[in-house]
Amino acid sequence: MNEQPLVSVIIPNYNYASTIGECIKAAKNQTYPAVEVIVADDASTDDSVAIARALDVTVLQVPVNSGVSTARNLGARHANGEVLFFVDSDVALDPDAVERAVEYLRTEPGLGAICGMYRAEPMFPDSLVKRYRAIQQYVWFCEVEGAIPGLHSALFAMKKETFLEVGEFNDRLRWTEEQDYGFRLNARYEVKAVPTIRGRHDHDGTLRVMLTKVFNRTRLGAPNWLRLNKLPGGAGTGYRALGSAFILAAVFALISAVLLGPWALLAAGVLTAVGMLLDKRTYAYAFRHHGVTFGLQFTVLHLLVTLTSAVAASIGILQGLLYPSMTQRLYRVETPA
Protein backbone atom coordinates (compact mmCIF):
# COMPACT_ATOMS: atom_id res chain seq x y z
CA MET A 1 0.00 0.00 0.00
CA ASN A 2 1.24 3.53 -0.75
CA GLU A 3 2.63 5.60 2.09
CA GLN A 4 -0.24 8.06 1.82
CA PRO A 5 -3.04 6.42 -0.18
CA LEU A 6 -6.22 8.24 -1.16
CA VAL A 7 -9.02 7.37 1.26
CA SER A 8 -12.63 7.30 0.09
CA VAL A 9 -14.93 8.05 3.03
CA ILE A 10 -18.24 6.43 2.06
CA ILE A 11 -21.38 7.62 3.87
CA PRO A 12 -24.54 5.57 3.23
CA ASN A 13 -27.62 7.60 4.07
CA TYR A 14 -31.37 7.33 4.30
CA ASN A 15 -33.34 10.24 5.78
CA TYR A 16 -30.66 11.42 8.22
CA ALA A 17 -30.93 15.14 7.47
CA SER A 18 -30.61 15.82 11.20
CA THR A 19 -27.09 14.37 11.39
CA ILE A 20 -25.59 14.10 7.91
CA GLY A 21 -24.24 17.65 8.03
CA GLU A 22 -22.18 16.92 11.15
CA CYS A 23 -21.09 13.60 9.65
CA ILE A 24 -19.81 15.20 6.43
CA LYS A 25 -18.10 18.09 8.21
CA ALA A 26 -16.26 15.62 10.46
CA ALA A 27 -15.21 13.53 7.44
CA LYS A 28 -13.87 16.61 5.67
CA ASN A 29 -12.11 17.93 8.78
CA GLN A 30 -9.63 15.06 9.06
CA THR A 31 -5.95 15.42 9.90
CA TYR A 32 -5.24 12.99 7.06
CA PRO A 33 -4.76 15.05 3.86
CA ALA A 34 -5.85 12.68 1.07
CA VAL A 35 -9.59 12.18 1.51
CA GLU A 36 -12.57 12.14 -0.84
CA VAL A 37 -16.06 12.08 0.66
CA ILE A 38 -18.86 10.18 -1.06
CA VAL A 39 -22.47 10.24 0.13
CA ALA A 40 -24.45 7.26 -1.19
CA ASP A 41 -28.07 8.22 -0.66
CA ASP A 42 -30.68 5.46 -0.52
CA ALA A 43 -33.59 7.45 -2.04
CA SER A 44 -34.09 9.78 0.93
CA THR A 45 -37.31 11.76 1.17
CA ASP A 46 -35.96 14.47 3.50
CA ASP A 47 -33.35 17.22 2.94
CA SER A 48 -30.33 14.90 3.20
CA VAL A 49 -29.24 15.24 -0.43
CA ALA A 50 -29.55 19.03 -0.45
CA ILE A 51 -27.49 19.27 2.74
CA ALA A 52 -24.80 16.98 1.32
CA ARG A 53 -24.57 18.85 -1.96
CA ALA A 54 -24.29 22.18 -0.15
CA LEU A 55 -21.20 20.81 1.62
CA ASP A 56 -19.49 20.14 -1.73
CA VAL A 57 -19.07 16.36 -1.64
CA THR A 58 -19.83 13.69 -4.21
CA VAL A 59 -23.45 12.58 -3.95
CA LEU A 60 -24.69 9.34 -5.50
CA GLN A 61 -28.34 8.32 -5.42
CA VAL A 62 -30.08 4.96 -5.44
CA PRO A 63 -33.29 5.33 -7.49
CA VAL A 64 -35.45 3.21 -5.14
CA ASN A 65 -34.93 2.67 -1.42
CA SER A 66 -33.05 -0.63 -1.24
CA GLY A 67 -31.21 -0.76 2.08
CA VAL A 68 -27.85 0.22 3.47
CA SER A 69 -26.01 -2.60 1.69
CA THR A 70 -27.01 -1.22 -1.72
CA ALA A 71 -25.90 2.27 -0.70
CA ARG A 72 -22.52 1.06 0.60
CA ASN A 73 -21.93 -0.99 -2.53
CA LEU A 74 -22.79 1.98 -4.76
CA GLY A 75 -20.32 4.18 -2.90
CA ALA A 76 -17.58 1.56 -3.12
CA ARG A 77 -18.07 1.10 -6.88
CA HIS A 78 -17.51 4.82 -7.46
CA ALA A 79 -14.66 5.24 -4.97
CA ASN A 80 -11.27 6.29 -6.30
CA GLY A 81 -9.41 5.57 -3.06
CA GLU A 82 -7.03 2.74 -2.32
CA VAL A 83 -8.66 2.63 1.12
CA LEU A 84 -12.41 2.61 1.81
CA PHE A 85 -13.58 4.11 5.10
CA PHE A 86 -17.27 3.39 5.68
CA VAL A 87 -19.03 5.61 8.20
CA ASP A 88 -22.76 5.80 8.87
CA SER A 89 -24.52 9.12 8.34
CA ASP A 90 -25.32 9.44 12.06
CA VAL A 91 -21.65 9.21 13.12
CA ALA A 92 -19.21 12.14 13.40
CA LEU A 93 -15.62 10.89 13.22
CA ASP A 94 -12.89 12.21 15.48
CA PRO A 95 -10.44 14.37 13.47
CA ASP A 96 -7.68 11.73 13.49
CA ALA A 97 -9.87 8.69 12.73
CA VAL A 98 -8.85 8.30 9.08
CA GLU A 99 -5.17 8.89 9.81
CA ARG A 100 -5.14 6.20 12.48
CA ALA A 101 -7.04 3.73 10.28
CA VAL A 102 -4.58 4.16 7.40
CA GLU A 103 -1.66 3.56 9.75
CA TYR A 104 -3.14 0.25 10.93
CA LEU A 105 -3.80 -0.94 7.37
CA ARG A 106 -0.34 0.15 6.23
CA THR A 107 1.59 -1.52 9.05
CA GLU A 108 -0.48 -4.73 9.25
CA PRO A 109 -0.73 -6.08 5.68
CA GLY A 110 -2.81 -9.12 6.70
CA LEU A 111 -5.54 -7.03 8.29
CA GLY A 112 -8.89 -7.35 6.56
CA ALA A 113 -10.52 -4.36 8.26
CA ILE A 114 -9.90 -2.00 11.14
CA CYS A 115 -12.98 -0.95 13.11
CA GLY A 116 -13.49 2.02 15.34
CA MET A 117 -15.68 2.44 18.41
CA TYR A 118 -18.32 4.89 19.58
CA ARG A 119 -17.64 7.45 22.25
CA ALA A 120 -19.68 7.22 25.45
CA GLU A 121 -21.45 10.49 24.59
CA PRO A 122 -24.00 10.64 21.73
CA MET A 123 -23.71 13.25 18.99
CA PHE A 124 -26.80 15.01 20.35
CA PRO A 125 -27.54 14.02 23.99
CA ASP A 126 -31.15 15.18 23.84
CA SER A 127 -32.95 12.10 25.20
CA LEU A 128 -32.53 9.51 27.94
CA VAL A 129 -32.69 6.68 25.39
CA LYS A 130 -29.78 8.17 23.41
CA ARG A 131 -27.67 8.55 26.54
CA TYR A 132 -28.51 4.98 27.57
CA ARG A 133 -27.66 3.53 24.18
CA ALA A 134 -24.37 5.44 23.93
CA ILE A 135 -23.14 4.04 27.25
CA GLN A 136 -24.38 0.54 26.54
CA GLN A 137 -22.60 0.31 23.20
CA TYR A 138 -19.49 2.06 24.49
CA VAL A 139 -19.06 -0.57 27.21
CA TRP A 140 -19.74 -3.44 24.84
CA PHE A 141 -17.40 -2.18 22.14
CA CYS A 142 -14.58 -1.62 24.62
CA GLU A 143 -14.88 -5.25 25.73
CA VAL A 144 -13.96 -6.52 22.28
CA GLU A 145 -10.78 -4.55 21.61
CA GLY A 146 -8.39 -6.42 19.33
CA ALA A 147 -9.38 -9.27 17.03
CA ILE A 148 -13.16 -9.58 16.68
CA PRO A 149 -15.36 -12.24 15.02
CA GLY A 150 -17.71 -9.69 13.44
CA LEU A 151 -17.59 -6.14 12.09
CA HIS A 152 -18.42 -2.67 13.46
CA SER A 153 -19.98 -1.48 10.23
CA ALA A 154 -20.79 2.06 11.45
CA LEU A 155 -17.12 3.08 11.23
CA PHE A 156 -14.48 0.84 9.68
CA ALA A 157 -11.77 0.94 7.03
CA MET A 158 -10.41 -1.64 4.62
CA LYS A 159 -8.31 -1.76 1.48
CA LYS A 160 -10.35 -1.56 -1.70
CA GLU A 161 -8.59 -4.65 -3.05
CA THR A 162 -9.81 -6.58 0.00
CA PHE A 163 -13.37 -5.35 -0.59
CA LEU A 164 -13.20 -6.51 -4.20
CA GLU A 165 -11.89 -9.90 -3.11
CA VAL A 166 -14.46 -10.54 -0.37
CA GLY A 167 -17.31 -9.11 -2.42
CA GLU A 168 -20.06 -6.58 -1.82
CA PHE A 169 -22.45 -6.33 1.10
CA ASN A 170 -25.41 -8.70 0.83
CA ASP A 171 -28.21 -6.49 -0.46
CA ARG A 172 -30.83 -9.06 0.59
CA LEU A 173 -30.16 -8.21 4.22
CA ARG A 174 -31.61 -5.08 5.85
CA TRP A 175 -30.84 -5.68 9.55
CA THR A 176 -27.89 -8.08 9.71
CA GLU A 177 -25.72 -7.14 6.75
CA GLU A 178 -22.78 -6.27 9.01
CA GLN A 179 -22.92 -9.69 10.72
CA ASP A 180 -22.92 -11.42 7.35
CA TYR A 181 -20.03 -9.32 6.04
CA GLY A 182 -18.05 -9.69 9.26
CA PHE A 183 -18.23 -13.48 9.13
CA ARG A 184 -17.29 -13.52 5.43
CA LEU A 185 -14.35 -11.20 6.05
CA ASN A 186 -13.14 -13.20 9.05
CA ALA A 187 -13.08 -16.35 6.94
CA ARG A 188 -10.10 -14.87 5.07
CA TYR A 189 -8.59 -12.11 7.21
CA GLU A 190 -8.26 -10.82 10.73
CA VAL A 191 -10.60 -8.01 11.72
CA LYS A 192 -9.65 -5.72 14.60
CA ALA A 193 -11.46 -3.12 16.70
CA VAL A 194 -9.44 -0.40 18.42
CA PRO A 195 -10.39 2.39 20.85
CA THR A 196 -8.10 4.93 19.15
CA ILE A 197 -10.47 5.30 16.17
CA ARG A 198 -13.54 7.06 17.54
CA GLY A 199 -16.77 8.71 16.53
CA ARG A 200 -19.86 10.22 18.18
CA HIS A 201 -23.03 8.39 17.22
CA ASP A 202 -26.51 9.90 17.26
CA HIS A 203 -28.27 6.91 18.76
CA ASP A 204 -31.97 6.16 18.48
CA GLY A 205 -33.97 8.70 20.44
CA THR A 206 -37.12 6.73 21.31
CA LEU A 207 -37.70 3.46 23.10
CA ARG A 208 -39.92 2.09 20.32
CA VAL A 209 -37.33 2.59 17.57
CA MET A 210 -34.50 1.22 19.70
CA LEU A 211 -36.38 -1.93 20.75
CA THR A 212 -37.57 -2.52 17.18
CA LYS A 213 -33.97 -2.47 15.92
CA VAL A 214 -32.77 -4.72 18.74
CA PHE A 215 -35.56 -7.22 18.07
CA ASN A 216 -35.11 -7.36 14.29
CA ARG A 217 -31.31 -7.57 14.32
CA THR A 218 -31.29 -10.29 16.95
CA ARG A 219 -34.12 -12.36 15.45
CA LEU A 220 -32.65 -12.25 11.95
CA GLY A 221 -29.07 -12.80 13.13
CA ALA A 222 -29.76 -15.74 15.47
CA PRO A 223 -30.39 -18.38 12.75
CA ASN A 224 -27.03 -17.59 11.21
CA TRP A 225 -25.25 -17.70 14.58
CA LEU A 226 -26.81 -21.12 15.05
CA ARG A 227 -25.70 -22.28 11.61
CA LEU A 228 -22.12 -21.14 12.09
CA ASN A 229 -22.00 -21.95 15.82
CA LYS A 230 -20.41 -18.54 16.32
CA LEU A 231 -21.49 -15.32 18.04
CA PRO A 232 -20.59 -11.90 16.57
CA GLY A 233 -19.26 -10.41 19.84
CA GLY A 234 -20.36 -7.25 21.67
CA ALA A 235 -23.98 -7.89 22.58
CA GLY A 236 -23.58 -11.41 21.26
CA THR A 237 -21.04 -12.76 23.74
CA GLY A 238 -21.59 -16.07 25.50
CA TYR A 239 -22.01 -14.73 29.02
CA ARG A 240 -24.23 -11.87 27.87
CA ALA A 241 -26.43 -14.25 25.87
CA LEU A 242 -26.70 -16.42 28.98
CA GLY A 243 -27.64 -13.36 31.02
CA SER A 244 -30.44 -12.60 28.56
CA ALA A 245 -31.74 -16.14 29.03
CA PHE A 246 -31.84 -15.62 32.81
CA ILE A 247 -33.83 -12.39 32.40
CA LEU A 248 -36.32 -14.17 30.13
CA ALA A 249 -36.62 -17.00 32.66
CA ALA A 250 -37.25 -14.40 35.38
CA VAL A 251 -40.21 -13.03 33.42
CA PHE A 252 -41.69 -16.53 33.11
CA ALA A 253 -41.19 -17.02 36.83
CA LEU A 254 -42.91 -13.71 37.54
CA ILE A 255 -45.88 -14.68 35.38
CA SER A 256 -46.13 -18.07 37.11
CA ALA A 257 -46.32 -16.37 40.51
CA VAL A 258 -50.10 -16.20 40.04
CA LEU A 259 -50.17 -19.98 40.37
CA LEU A 260 -47.05 -20.75 42.38
CA GLY A 261 -47.08 -17.87 44.84
CA PRO A 262 -44.11 -16.30 46.66
CA TRP A 263 -41.63 -19.00 45.67
CA ALA A 264 -42.00 -17.95 42.05
CA LEU A 265 -41.44 -14.32 43.03
CA LEU A 266 -38.27 -15.33 44.85
CA ALA A 267 -37.11 -17.30 41.82
CA ALA A 268 -37.80 -14.29 39.56
CA GLY A 269 -35.66 -12.09 41.81
CA VAL A 270 -32.79 -14.58 41.88
CA LEU A 271 -32.89 -15.11 38.11
CA THR A 272 -32.89 -11.35 37.49
CA ALA A 273 -29.94 -10.87 39.83
CA VAL A 274 -27.95 -13.59 38.06
CA GLY A 275 -28.79 -12.10 34.65
CA MET A 276 -27.62 -8.67 35.79
CA LEU A 277 -24.41 -10.06 37.32
CA LEU A 278 -23.49 -11.62 33.99
CA ASP A 279 -23.60 -8.12 32.49
CA LYS A 280 -22.41 -6.27 35.60
CA ARG A 281 -19.84 -4.10 33.82
CA THR A 282 -22.55 -2.42 31.75
CA TYR A 283 -24.65 -1.53 34.80
CA ALA A 284 -21.60 -0.57 36.86
CA TYR A 285 -20.37 1.93 34.26
CA ALA A 286 -23.68 3.80 34.30
CA PHE A 287 -23.79 4.06 38.10
CA ARG A 288 -20.09 4.87 38.48
CA HIS A 289 -19.94 7.62 35.85
CA HIS A 290 -23.45 9.10 35.99
CA GLY A 291 -24.78 8.58 39.49
CA VAL A 292 -27.58 6.63 41.13
CA THR A 293 -30.57 8.37 39.52
CA PHE A 294 -29.32 7.82 35.98
CA GLY A 295 -28.07 4.37 36.94
CA LEU A 296 -31.57 3.30 37.98
CA GLN A 297 -33.07 4.71 34.77
CA PHE A 298 -30.34 2.93 32.81
CA THR A 299 -31.14 -0.34 34.60
CA VAL A 300 -34.81 -0.23 33.59
CA LEU A 301 -33.95 0.44 29.95
CA HIS A 302 -31.23 -2.18 29.88
CA LEU A 303 -33.49 -4.86 31.32
CA LEU A 304 -36.03 -4.07 28.58
CA VAL A 305 -33.34 -4.34 25.90
CA THR A 306 -32.00 -7.57 27.40
CA LEU A 307 -35.47 -9.10 27.52
CA THR A 308 -36.17 -8.02 23.94
CA SER A 309 -32.92 -9.63 22.81
CA ALA A 310 -33.78 -12.88 24.59
CA VAL A 311 -37.25 -13.09 23.05
CA ALA A 312 -35.90 -12.26 19.58
CA ALA A 313 -33.05 -14.78 19.86
CA SER A 314 -35.47 -17.51 20.94
CA ILE A 315 -37.71 -16.85 17.93
CA GLY A 316 -34.72 -16.65 15.58
CA ILE A 317 -33.18 -19.90 16.83
CA LEU A 318 -36.53 -21.65 16.47
CA GLN A 319 -36.84 -20.35 12.91
CA GLY A 320 -33.30 -21.53 12.17
CA LEU A 321 -34.07 -25.03 13.44
CA LEU A 322 -37.39 -25.31 11.59
CA TYR A 323 -36.34 -23.64 8.33
CA PRO A 324 -32.55 -24.09 7.86
CA SER A 325 -32.81 -23.83 4.07
CA MET A 326 -34.20 -20.29 4.44
CA THR A 327 -31.06 -19.24 6.33
CA GLN A 328 -28.86 -20.86 3.68
CA ARG A 329 -30.60 -18.92 0.91
CA LEU A 330 -30.52 -15.61 2.74
CA TYR A 331 -26.86 -15.61 3.77
CA ARG A 332 -23.85 -15.98 1.54
CA VAL A 333 -21.41 -16.83 4.34
CA GLU A 334 -18.20 -18.75 4.03
CA THR A 335 -17.47 -21.07 6.91
CA PRO A 336 -14.41 -19.69 8.74
CA ALA A 337 -11.28 -21.82 8.52
Side-chain angles (χ1 to χ4, degrees):
M1 193 168 80
N2 295 328
E3 285 292 318
Q4 200 172 75
L6 175 66
V7 177
S8 298
V9 177
I10 299 169
I11 304 171
N13 173 74
Y14 177 65
N15 285 352
Y16 274 94
S18 61
T19 59
I20 194 168
E22 292 299 314
C23 174
I24 293 172
K25 290 174 186 175
K28 294 181 71 175
N29 190 33
Q30 291 293 305
T31 56
Y32 188 80
V35 172
E36 68 168 0
V37 180
I38 299 172
V39 173
D41 186 76
D42 190 23
S44 291
T45 58
D46 64 4
D47 295 331
S48 299
V49 170
I51 293 170
R53 285 178 173 156
L55 291 170
D56 194 27
V57 296
T58 299
V59 179
L60 309 172
Q61 291 182 274
V62 178
V64 178
N65 180 254
S66 305
V68 68
S69 292
T70 299
R72 288 195 183 111
N73 294 338
L74 177 65
R77 289 186 210 121
H78 288 80
N80 297 308
E82 187 179 346
V83 172
L84 308 179
F85 195 123
F86 293 92
V87 57
D88 285 355
S89 55
D90 55 358
V91 176
L93 295 173
D94 281 8
D96 60 353
V98 170
E99 182 178 358
R100 291 180 181 274
V102 169
E103 183 63 18
Y104 273 101
L105 293 174
R106 192 180 64 79
T107 57
E108 299 186 35
L111 197 60
I114 187 71
C115 302
M117 301 182 185
Y118 297 145
R119 288 194 171 275
E121 308 80 25
M123 186 189 296
F124 302 116
D126 50 11
S127 80
L128 174 63
V129 173
K130 284 185 180 183
R131 294 176 62 211
Y132 156 76
R133 193 67 161 157
I135 291 170
Q136 175 211 28
Q137 296 201 346
Y138 173 78
V139 174
W140 289 1
F141 278 6
C142 286
E143 287 179 356
V144 289
E145 178 182 351
I148 59 175
L151 182 74
H152 298 168
S153 62
L155 62 165
F156 78 98
M158 63 190 304
K159 297 174 187 175
K160 188 172 184 179
E161 65 181 5
T162 304
F163 181 84
L164 294 174
E165 176 191 344
V166 174
E168 297 185 334
F169 283 87
N170 188 341
D171 57 13
R172 292 175 293 180
L173 303 176
R174 289 264 185 157
W175 296 97
T176 56
E177 82 291 332
E178 82 288 350
Q179 297 175 27
D180 169 74
Y181 203 82
F183 284 133
R184 287 162 55 199
L185 191 55
N186 268 278
R188 305 186 186 198
Y189 295 98
E190 184 178 52
V191 178
K192 283 186 177 180
V194 294
T196 53
I197 299 172
R198 291 286 196 192
R200 289 178 296 115
H201 183 209
D202 189 50
H203 296 269
D204 300 315
T206 68
L207 187 63
R208 181 185 62 81
V209 173
M210 178 181 66
L211 293 181
T212 297
K213 284 188 177 181
V214 169
F215 181 85
N216 285 325
R217 287 172 177 168
T218 306
R219 179 181 65 83
L220 294 170
N224 199 47
W225 308 340
L226 179 69
R227 186 172 75 90
L228 295 174
N229 193 29
K230 193 178 183 68
L231 292 168
T237 55
Y239 67 88
R240 190 164 282 124
L242 182 60
S244 297
F246 273 100
I247 298 300
L248 180 59
V251 171
F252 282 120
L254 189 62
I255 293 172
S256 68
V258 176
L259 297 175
L260 302 179
W263 286 109
L265 290 175
L266 178 60
V270 171
L271 290 167
T272 300
V274 173
M276 293 176 68
L277 282 172
L278 287 167
D279 196 11
K280 62 183 179 181
R281 280 177 288 189
T282 308
Y283 295 100
Y285 185 95
F287 279 94
R288 186 168 60 250
H289 292 274
H290 298 276
V292 174
T293 300
F294 178 81
L296 292 173
Q297 295 170 329
F298 181 96
T299 297
V300 172
L301 291 174
H302 197 53
L303 286 172
L304 283 172
V305 167
T306 303
L307 177 61
T308 301
S309 298
V311 172
S314 300
I315 295 172
I317 289 170
L318 184 61
Q319 289 175 330
L321 292 172
L322 293 176
Y323 309 106
S325 60
M326 184 182 299
T327 305
Q328 293 279 358
R329 288 195 302 270
L330 191 61
Y331 288 93
R332 298 190 298 262
V333 185
E334 302 173 51
T335 302

